[in-house]
Amino acid sequence: MRHPTIDTAEQVLATTYSRMPVVFEKGAGATLWDTEGREYTDFLAGIAVCGLGHAHPAVQAALSEQAGKLLHVSNLFYTKPQVELGEWLIRHSFADRVFFCNSGAEANEAAIKLARKYFYDKGQTGRYRIIAMEQSFHGRTMGSLSATGQAKIRKGFEPVLDGFEFVPFNDLEALHAKLDETVCAVLLEPIQGEGGIVCPDSDYLPAVRKICDETGTLMMLDEIQTGMGRTGKLFAYEHAGAAPDIMTLAKALGNGLPIGAMLAREAVANAFGPGAHATTFGGTPIVTAGALAVVKTMAAEGIVAQAARTGEYFMERLQALERRHDRIAAVRGRGLLLGLKLKEEGAPLVKTCLERGFVINCVQGDILRFAPPLIISTREIDALINCLDDILSTEV
Ligand SMILES: *Cc1c(COP(=O)(O)O)cnc(C)c1O
């Protein structure tokens, strides 16, 4: 019998998702429990969101305390948690200024608007085009959708915004050929997440930086999925040693609280003067107090270095699995953002894993994605590997 919550959900919720048939009730660390008391190990973390895992006491304490003081006053005033979070992000990144919003898509909207405004303010009103990547994902709002290089995601919503063009990811020549005085920015992910955990060559991002410098084009990195320690560095651009001009964050920044951020260098950020861009909820005290607890805990507990170590272990275990199973086509990713490309559809494996108490998901049809909480243990990884080993050995 289906859980009554699922029956109701199928009647009242928009039909935008085909959900897995489980009603989650609570979590702790990398463990989730459903309403029947069944236990699961979470290798998805709400799609690379809950980096510190579920019900982290430091986040809970910060939220409880702030909830008793002030939830929201708008950005017409100053509040301490927002400013302290901004200060923390500036201190730990290339950026000089930060704009807070509520989601990844909104952070990318802000980035797109900022890039256009930057050149508009310089009198270069014809410099508004943005070059993005094929197979990219930047969100579902019209602007971020227009920057998303997957026809299946744009389908049905056309015409999208004018001024977006795509080149193959990891192809410098194609990018170079597109850059002229009509292009304001290049927008890309350091590792394509929804696109299938696609890592570029190690010299790609530094080369993109160089081409952008030579042509006076802004480099915008979408670190919404790769940021906040996910790849084993606080931000994935650190691996490449090439910082962008604009960076967007969301997912793991609030460990589940709805928050996005757009960070930029001073000269670029200044194109957003008073009234140029705004949001009612962005950076509200309750959410930023929670996110501040997240970043402080990550720093105090050495979570990023831990993710790097655990990620290497996980990668080795997946590679060993690949050697044992012909059904695996490739293993890829970095840190704790890992993908297993199959030679078959991934959905049945996702379902079987769930039945056996492991939450994973599938992107692009045939790539299993692993993005567990950064606090995942090697013992939990071993358990998942054994489960996958068993499924791949026995089931068709
Ligand atoms: C999830 C994601 C987004 C969109 O974030 P939302 O909060 O869902 O709007 C944008 N870019 C990347 C790389 C993402 O992974």
Side-chain angles (χ1 to χ4, degrees):
M1 200 198 72
R2 252 193 355 185
H3 194 286
T5 298
I6 298 181
D7 284 332
T8 311
E10 294 310 320
Q11 287 163 36
V12 303
L13 300 184
T15 54
T16 47
Y17 283 90
S18 38
R19 298 170 199 256
M20 305 297 286
V22 50
V23 184
F24 282 124
E25 194 161 64
K26 60 177 185 176
T31 305
L32 284 167
W33 287 273
D34 69 12
T35 46
E36 319 294 305
R38 276 206 64 197
E39 197 174 301
Y40 303 77
T41 310
D42 188 0
F43 276 86
L44 186 58
I47 318 185
V49 167
C50 306
L52 291 177
H54 302 282
H56 194 287
V59 182
Q60 190 187 340
L63 285 175
S64 305
E65 198 198 327
Q66 188 61 42
K69 286 204 245 169
L70 191 66
L71 297 184
H72 176 85
V73 287
S74 89
N75 286 308
L76 301 174
F77 309 95
Y78 300 95
T79 58
K80 272 190 182 168
Q82 181 183 122
V83 177
E84 283 176 34
L85 180 63
E87 213 180 1
W88 194 95
L89 289 170
I90 295 317
R91 203 174 337 118
H92 291 85
S93 74
F94 71 94
D96 302 304
R97 292 188 182 271
V98 53
F99 172 84
F100 288 113
C101 50
N102 311 289
S103 67
E106 275 181 65
N108 284 333
E109 293 292 332
I112 291 163
K113 286 180 71 177
L114 182 66
R116 287 187 170 181
K117 184 71 162 40
Y118 174 71
F119 286 104
Y120 175 90
D121 285 357
K122 285 169 170 274
Q124 300 180 47
T125 50
R127 193 160 189 171
Y128 65 88
R129 290 169 62 236
I130 290 174
I131 308 300
M133 301 296 143
E134 289 172 9
Q135 292 299 108
S136 62
F137 182 80
H138 298 295
R140 303 285 189 153
T141 56
M142 278 317 275
S144 61
L145 181 70
S146 306
T148 292
Q150 300 187 56
K152 66 171 194 262
I153 295 179
R154 293 199 306 271
K155 192 173 172 226
F157 302 105
E158 274 121 352
V160 294
L161 292 193
D162 189 23
F164 289 83
E165 272 188 63
F166 303 97
V167 294
F169 189 49
N170 201 31
D171 184 337
L172 287 168
E173 273 178 39
L175 179 63
H176 206 235
K178 289 274 185 203
L179 296 186
D180 59 26
E181 65 293 342
T182 67
V183 175
C184 63
V186 175
L187 171 61
L188 71 169
E189 300 153 86
I191 295 174
Q192 291 190 328
E194 303 303 310
I197 322 295
V198 184
C199 299
D201 296 340
S202 58
D203 56 359
Y204 178 66
L205 284 183
V208 172
R209 176 69 272 177
K210 194 159 166 277
I211 305 178
C212 285
D213 286 340
E214 285 164 6
T215 54
T217 313
L218 297 175
M219 177 174 170
M220 309 204 289
L221 275 186
D222 178 340
E223 291 239 23
I224 289 165
Q225 189 156 156
T226 55
M228 306 316 295
R230 174 58 53 193
T231 69
K233 296 271 190 197
L234 185 58
F235 305 114
Y237 74 76
E238 295 170 30
H239 293 294
D245 301 296
I246 300 174
M247 172 172 76
T248 50
L249 298 175
K251 291 199 160 82
L253 180 54
N255 207 60
L257 295 158
I259 183 168
M262 194 260 322
L263 292 85
R265 296 183 194 282
E266 183 74 17
V268 182
N270 286 340
F272 268 180
H277 192 56
T279 159
T280 299
F281 290 123
T284 204
I286 183 71
V287 166
T288 45
L292 189 60
V294 171
V295 295
K296 283 185 175 171
T297 303
M298 284 183 63
E301 296 182 4
I303 299 293
V304 179
Q306 184 183 334
R309 285 193 303 274
T310 318
E312 267 174 42
Y313 178 80
F314 198 171
M315 176 63 115
E316 281 164 22
R317 295 297 324 257
L318 287 171
Q319 284 166 340
L321 199 64
E322 181 191 12
R323 288 191 292 274
R324 282 171 49 78
H325 296 281
D326 197 39
R327 292 163 70 183
I328 299 174
V331 178
R332 54 208 199 195
R334 187 151 199 176
L336 284 170
L337 182 60
L338 297 168
L340 198 71
K341 188 170 166 61
L342 302 168
K343 295 177 184 168
E344 63 195 88
E345 283 295 299
L349 274 88
V350 171
K351 185 167 168 281
T352 310
C353 279
L354 188 72
E355 285 160 8
R356 296 185 183 202
F358 295 94
V359 178
I360 63 170
N361 96 324
C362 178
V363 286
Q364 302 294 328
D366 59 356
I367 298 154
L368 302 182
R369 170 171 51 186
F370 310 105
L374 306 181
I375 48 109
I376 195 86
S377 68
T378 52
R379 188 182 44 78
E380 287 163 323
I381 290 169
D382 290 344
L384 173 76
I385 295 288
N386 289 341
C387 172
L388 288 169
D389 194 24
D390 193 48
I391 297 173
L392 288 165
S393 305
T394 53
E395 289 167 45
V396 253

